[in-house]
Amino acid sequence: MVPKELLKKTPILAELDEQTVAELAKDASLVAVENGGCVFLEGEPLPPFFFVLLTGTLQMVKCSQSGKETILRPIRPGEIFAWAALLDGGAAPATARAACASVVMRLPSQALLTAIARSPATALRLLATLSERLRDVHEQLHDIVSERARTRLARLILRQRAREGDCLQTLLPHQLLARMAGITYEESVRILGEWTHGEHPILSYRRGGRIEVLNAGGLMAIAEGGGDAVGEE
């Protein structure tokens, strides 16, 4: 059993009534995941749970046939993941790996579906979040296939900015940026170096991957294929 307060603090469940929250809390459980540990693995059957990250950071990782890994997105506390387990089960489309020691809340899929049936507002929240996730993945895959390194990186940062504001809350060190954008570590270092230095910097990048967008218009111009052409791949 999980304390009801943890469920109430989860934005996606905020519209549920007290009785429904109490019932969900009885079926919910907490799982500690060590750094580098996995909640589930790509290709393996998904457990019949809906997951919410409570503390730490997870990364959704997709592996190609050649073994190259692409980080689809980082997952921050309060975010939900493993939609397939809720909607249709089947195999995990990606691996959920902990980037540091993390704690995950598990809600049995059937129990959550029953709760959603009682709360149209919660169903709408879930649909809106799912729509956002699908749009992000579609845009990211499109960028990797068809866009240049600078454009990919600009669009990635802008997507994070849309969710978190100019001062990004998610730490995005070069290694993570490179794997999310499908570029090399060296490209990430060089391109962000161009954007953070000079007379009119576009970004502020501090050690550890803390990014602040200083010139959103300039970043948008690059994301649209314009802006300074120096260093285009």
Side-chain angles (χ1 to χ4, degrees):
M1 181 174 178
V2 170
K4 291 189 295 182
E5 291 70 22
L6 287 180
L7 275 76
K8 291 179 180 179
K9 290 180 180 178
T10 303
I12 205 73
L13 305 177
E15 301 294 335
L16 296 178
D17 59 57
E18 287 290 331
Q19 179 182 349
T20 302
V21 169
E23 292 173 0
L24 272 179
K26 293 178 183 178
D27 297 321
S29 58
L30 301 180
V31 178
V33 188
E34 63 182 9
N35 184 17
C38 297
V39 181
F40 49 78
L41 297 173
E42 179 181 355
E44 292 191 351
L46 273 171
F49 295 103
F50 188 74
F51 296 91
V52 180
L53 179 63
L54 296 181
T55 63
T57 302
L58 299 178
Q59 296 172 350
M60 297 301 295
V61 181
K62 187 80 174 174
C63 188
S64 69
Q65 291 184 347
S66 65
K68 180 181 179 181
E69 290 187 345
T70 297
I71 297 176
L72 300 179
R73 67 184 182 92
I75 300 174
R76 298 179 58 235
E79 289 194 53
I80 55 179
F81 60 103
W83 288 93
L86 179 66
L87 300 175
D88 62 4
T95 294
R97 182 186 300 156
C100 62
S102 305
V103 176
V104 171
M105 178 168 61
R106 302 189 311 179
L107 298 168
S109 302
Q110 190 55 54
L112 184 59
L113 287 172
T114 300
I116 292 172
R118 301 176 183 173
S119 174
T122 299
L124 289 174
R125 281 176 177 262
L126 286 168
L127 287 173
T129 304
L130 177 58
S131 176
E132 179 186 354
R133 295 287 180 267
L134 291 174
R135 183 173 60 251
D136 284 352
V137 170
H138 180 271
E139 291 177 355
Q140 185 176 7
L141 292 177
H142 176 270
D143 292 347
I144 289 174
V145 170
S146 61
E147 301 295 348
R148 295 177 176 178
R150 289 164 61 84
T151 304
R152 297 181 202 174
L153 207 51
R155 290 183 177 180
L156 190 160
I157 294 172
L158 284 172
R159 284 196 293 271
Q160 289 296 126
R161 174 181 177 268
R163 287 191 288 266
E164 303 177 7
D166 287 335
C167 295
L168 304 189
Q169 301 302 306
T170 301
L171 297 180
L172 296 173
H174 288 296
Q175 184 177 17
L176 179 56
L177 282 171
R179 293 175 67 185
M180 290 179 67
I183 63 178
T184 66
Y185 176 89
E186 291 75 16
E187 285 174 325
S188 176
V189 172
R190 176 175 58 78
I191 294 170
L192 260 71
E194 295 173 3
W195 293 349
T196 56
H197 296 92
E199 187 176 354
H200 301 291
I202 294 174
L203 303 173
S204 167
Y205 179 92
R206 285 184 284 167
R207 186 179 180 86
R210 190 167 298 282
I211 294 175
E212 180 180 359
V213 177
L214 304 177
N215 181 353
L219 197 60
M220 289 177 185
I222 296 172
E224 292 169 359
D228 183 4
V230 176
E232 284 281 11
E233 275 66 33

